[in-house]
């Protein structure tokens, strides 16, 4: 009897030796005359246990991890007594506490097997959308309460309706997979672990708004994701899921490393072959988008969630969450954290639960001092704000952002003045240069923080930083310059001692 082993091909698992583990299992099985089958999957998202290998048994899959190539010999016949034995993956506390809707298949299926995808519920959402028709499909998405998972949190149904109501000879669906925020990897995990979920979601969006063409814009730093998704598109075309009879095509475009191209209008400029610069709004992309046509621009997670909503119904999805934040969010735990990985859960869990209860505190063992939520433009929250619920409005009320759901943890050794400087420096480097507040303001921000660091006119320069942040926040064309003040001002507000103490020490020296 052939025994099946499931080894992740996700980039995070490959980075710590998953390919070598798969090869070692094959070599050892061949040497001992044991028949095995290796199935390469995506990741379950428990990164501290990668490579996590699962073995098929009569009682279901059993997980072992983290597995090294030298463990292959013992793993071929391993049981509960093995030192790397983890039991059923679903029973591991990190997974057991999750509500996996968007990531239900990640780490379970062969990402390039349409048969595996369909066996695990793939295609049901598109099938129902076709039976409902465009108007009813649009109604389902609107009723679900789904909001953009890229950071802005704009209601997906409203955006789709704007495009659906527009009159044009051609419309487009664009997937923003330019995942550039620090501490985020949800887009990459889906592209590598369940690419057909995105294809299905984009096909549903096309049906709902009357678009026959889609583009997926993927960052160049994700070569594995690009290869996997391009292969998935070819398989979908051969299957009839995409192409002429399906009435919807997808084209993949790869970025060139610009962070600003995560902004929807800069992304559209890049797809059109131009320099990635932000467009002034209005007009909105929903009215005048790609190639001047009405365009739906959604984050990858938003689009990949749509199939579940259509398959299970809007009410089932909206039953999760709190307030205006409905459904689930794939939260990505990173930085100095013991249990880093992807945790999909309903909105409403507190920041403290995520960092301490689920993430297990810092990897260094030192106390947590700050967490940054929402990427490099997100605010720094101290422990005093750990009672904040993971909810768009709750974070906004405390001058924070959820962003793409990334949480980066810092222990007590972090220098918050250095982090504030980094925010300004990052903005200066990544600015497209189109607007003055972002282009010049960020450079002046770096210079001013350096003056504070040297102890020069500290009080006056701290006041200048606040004034500069106000100008950038309200005067920038897009969120790059507009959101840079969040990490700077939160560092000043919650950790003022790092600015005053350093400056005082320099003056005293």
């Amino acid at each position: 009897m052939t025994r099946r082993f499931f080894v992740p091909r996700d980039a995070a698992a490959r980075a710590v030796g998953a390919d070598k583990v798969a090869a070692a299992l094959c070599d050892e099985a061949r040497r001992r005359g044991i028949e095995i089958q290796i199935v390469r999957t995506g990741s379950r998202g428990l990164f501290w246990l990668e490579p996590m290998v699962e073995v098929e048994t009569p009682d279901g899959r059993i997980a072992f991890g983290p597995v090294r190539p030298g463990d292959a010999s013992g793993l071929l016949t391993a049981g509960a007594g093995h030192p790397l034995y983890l039991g059923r993956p679903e029973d591991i506390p990190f997974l057991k506490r999750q509500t996996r809707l968007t990531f239900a298949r990640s780490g379970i299926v062969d990402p390039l097997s349409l048969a595996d995808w369909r066996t695990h519920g793939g295609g049901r959402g598109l099938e129902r959308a076709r039976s409902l028709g465009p108007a009813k499909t649009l109604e389902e998405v609107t009723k679900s309460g789904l909001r953009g998972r890229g950071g802005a949190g704009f209601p997906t149904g409203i955006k789709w309706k704007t495009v659906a109501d527009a009159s044009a000879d051609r419309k487009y669906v664009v997937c923003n997979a330019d995942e550039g925020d620090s501490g985020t990897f949800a887009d990459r995990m889906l592209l590598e672990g369940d690419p057909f979920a995105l294809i299905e979601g984009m096909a549903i969006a096309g049906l709902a708004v009357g678009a026959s063409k889609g583009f997926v814009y993927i960052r160049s730093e994700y070569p594995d994701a690009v290869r996997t998704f391009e292969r998935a598109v070819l398989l979908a075309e051969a299957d009839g899921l995409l192409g002429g009879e399906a009435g919807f095509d997808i084209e993949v475009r790869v970025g060139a490393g610009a962070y600003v191209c995560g902004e929807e209008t800069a992304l559209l400029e890049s797809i059109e072959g131009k320099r990635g610069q932000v467009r002034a709004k209005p007009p909105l992309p929903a009215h005048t988008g790609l190639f001047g046509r009405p365009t739906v621009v959604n984050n990858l997670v938003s689009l990949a969630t749509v199939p579940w909503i259509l398959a299970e119904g809007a009410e089932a999805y909206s039953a999760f969450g709190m307030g205006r934040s409905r459904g689930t969010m794939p939260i990505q735990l990173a930085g100095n954290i013991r249990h880093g990985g992807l945790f999909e859960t309903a909105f409403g869990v507190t920041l403290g639960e995520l960092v301490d209860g689920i993430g297990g505190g810092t990897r260094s063992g030192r106390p947590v001092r700050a967490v940054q939520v929402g990427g490099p433009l997100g605010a720094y929250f101290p422990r005093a704000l750990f009672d904040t619920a993971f909810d768009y409005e709750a974070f906004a009320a405390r001058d924070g952002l959820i962003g793409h759901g990334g949480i980066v943890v810092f222990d007590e050794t972090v220098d918050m003045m250095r982090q504030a400087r980094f925010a300004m420096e990052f903005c200066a480097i990544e600015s497209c240069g189109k607007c003055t507040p972002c282009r010049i303001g960020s450079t002046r921000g770096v210079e001013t923080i350096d003056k504070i660091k040297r102890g020069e006119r500290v009080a006056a320069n701290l006041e200048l930083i606040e004034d500069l942040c106000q100008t950038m926040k309200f005067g920038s064309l897009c969120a790059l310059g507009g959101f840079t003040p969040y990490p700077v001002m939160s560092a000043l507000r919650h950790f003022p001692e790092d600015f005053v103490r350093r400056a005082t020490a320099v003056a005293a020296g």
Side-chain angles (χ1 to χ4, degrees):
M1 179 182 174
T2 302
R3 199 174 193 192
R4 292 212 296 173
F5 289 78
F6 300 85
V7 183
R9 190 184 268 124
D10 179 272
R14 293 185 64 222
V16 289
D19 289 347
K20 292 179 180 178
V21 169
L25 284 168
C26 289
D27 291 344
E28 184 63 22
R30 193 179 303 112
R31 188 184 69 81
R32 292 166 59 177
I34 300 173
E35 283 192 34
I36 68 168
Q37 178 189 1
I38 302 288
V39 180
R40 301 304 297 271
T41 65
S43 172
R44 297 256 195 178
L46 291 73
F47 288 163
W48 77 98
L49 294 176
E50 293 287 16
M52 190 172 85
V53 175
E54 297 176 32
V55 184
E56 189 174 65
T57 74
D59 300 319
R61 293 192 198 180
I62 299 298
F64 298 83
V67 178
R68 302 290 176 254
D71 300 318
S73 177
L75 210 61
L76 289 179
T77 55
H82 194 280
L84 300 180
Y85 178 85
L86 299 170
R88 295 174 68 249
E90 298 81 7
D91 293 334
I92 298 172
F94 189 85
L95 274 176
K96 193 171 186 178
R97 294 178 66 177
Q98 297 191 42
T99 303
R100 288 217 163 175
L101 309 183
T102 308
F103 282 79
R105 289 184 291 267
S106 184
I108 296 175
V109 301
D110 175 348
L112 293 176
S113 168
L114 278 160
D116 214 356
W117 173 68
R118 288 192 171 104
T119 298
H120 290 83
R124 290 174 52 230
L126 180 57
E127 184 180 347
R128 181 164 179 253
R130 286 171 174 165
S131 68
L132 289 175
K136 293 281 189 179
T137 296
L138 186 56
E139 187 180 326
E140 281 288 289
V141 174
T142 303
K143 282 169 56 181
S144 73
L146 178 66
R147 295 167 69 177
R149 298 295 189 248
F154 189 81
T156 304
I158 293 176
K159 183 180 289 189
W160 285 20
K161 189 174 189 310
T162 304
V163 176
D165 290 345
S167 178
D169 61 338
R170 189 154 201 188
K171 300 175 184 179
Y172 296 99
V173 175
V174 173
C175 169
N176 184 348
D178 191 55
E179 186 176 52
D181 284 355
S182 48
T184 61
F185 38 82
D187 289 1
R188 180 190 59 73
M189 280 184 61
L190 274 173
L191 287 168
E192 295 177 9
D194 192 9
F196 296 119
L198 174 59
I199 290 172
E200 183 181 6
M202 291 184 71
I204 292 170
L207 183 153
V209 305
S212 59
K213 179 80 172 181
F215 288 86
V216 178
Y217 189 92
I218 309 175
R219 68 192 308 239
S220 58
E221 296 90 339
Y222 283 173
D224 288 9
V226 171
R227 281 193 296 268
T228 301
F229 191 73
E230 286 181 334
R231 178 62 181 152
V233 168
L234 292 175
L235 291 170
E237 289 172 346
D239 179 77
L241 183 61
L242 292 175
E245 289 187 15
F248 191 77
D249 291 301
I250 290 178
E251 189 174 324
V252 178
R253 293 292 177 89
V254 180
Y259 179 80
V260 77
C261 284
E263 194 279 335
E264 61 179 3
T265 62
L267 181 152
L268 296 178
E269 290 283 292
S270 182
I271 291 177
E272 291 178 6
K274 304 170 188 174
R275 180 182 176 185
Q277 281 196 317
V278 175
R279 298 175 184 175
K281 301 177 191 176
L284 297 170
H287 295 121
T288 306
L290 189 63
F291 304 117
R293 305 299 198 281
T295 305
V296 167
V297 184
N298 275 139
N299 169 258
L300 186 152
V301 173
S302 306
L303 289 164
T305 301
V306 168
W308 194 96
I309 292 170
L310 266 295
E312 304 299 333
E315 291 184 3
Y317 188 75
S318 64
F320 297 101
M322 65 175 285
R324 290 175 52 216
S325 301
R326 310 313 308 173
T328 61
M329 184 73 179
I331 298 165
Q332 298 125 89
L333 301 172
N336 189 344
I337 193 163
R338 182 172 290 130
H339 297 151
L342 184 133
F343 191 89
E344 183 178 357
T345 188
F347 285 98
V349 61
T350 67
L351 191 56
E353 288 178 83
L354 289 166
V355 174
D356 297 325
I358 294 160
T362 64
R363 185 176 177 84
S364 64
R366 295 174 178 270
V368 175
R369 188 178 186 213
V371 296
Q372 186 177 32
V373 183
L377 308 181
Y380 290 100
F381 275 24
R383 181 166 285 282
L385 297 182
F386 274 21
D387 62 341
T388 308
F390 209 85
D391 161 77
Y392 290 102
E393 282 66 43
F395 264 74
R398 291 182 166 180
D399 293 324
L401 308 164
I402 281 181
H404 189 44
I407 296 178
V408 179
V409 179
F410 299 85
D411 71 13
E412 62 182 0
T413 63
V414 67
D415 179 345
M416 296 309 296
M417 182 163 69
R418 184 178 178 184
Q419 294 303 118
R421 186 191 187 280
F422 169 75
M424 286 292 192
E425 182 183 34
F426 178 83
C427 182
I429 292 169
E430 296 294 343
S431 174
C432 75
K434 189 166 185 176
C435 71
T436 303
C438 176
R439 182 183 73 251
I440 303 299
S442 54
T443 300
R444 294 293 171 263
V446 172
E447 294 169 354
T448 306
I449 293 175
D450 282 343
K451 289 177 182 177
I452 296 169
K453 187 177 178 181
R454 294 194 297 266
E456 298 176 16
R457 301 175 61 243
V458 174
N461 280 317
L462 284 172
E463 189 176 332
L464 182 59
I465 283 289
E466 292 194 32
D467 187 55
L468 188 60
C469 283
Q470 288 297 307
T471 301
M472 293 177 67
K473 183 175 181 178
F474 296 106
S476 298
L477 267 178
C478 81
L480 177 53
F483 285 178
T484 294
Y486 280 88
V488 177
M489 290 307 301
S490 60
L492 274 169
R493 183 180 301 114
H494 301 304
F495 309 95
E497 64 275 15
D498 282 24
F499 296 81
V500 178
R501 181 177 63 232
R502 288 281 301 278
T504 303
V506 170

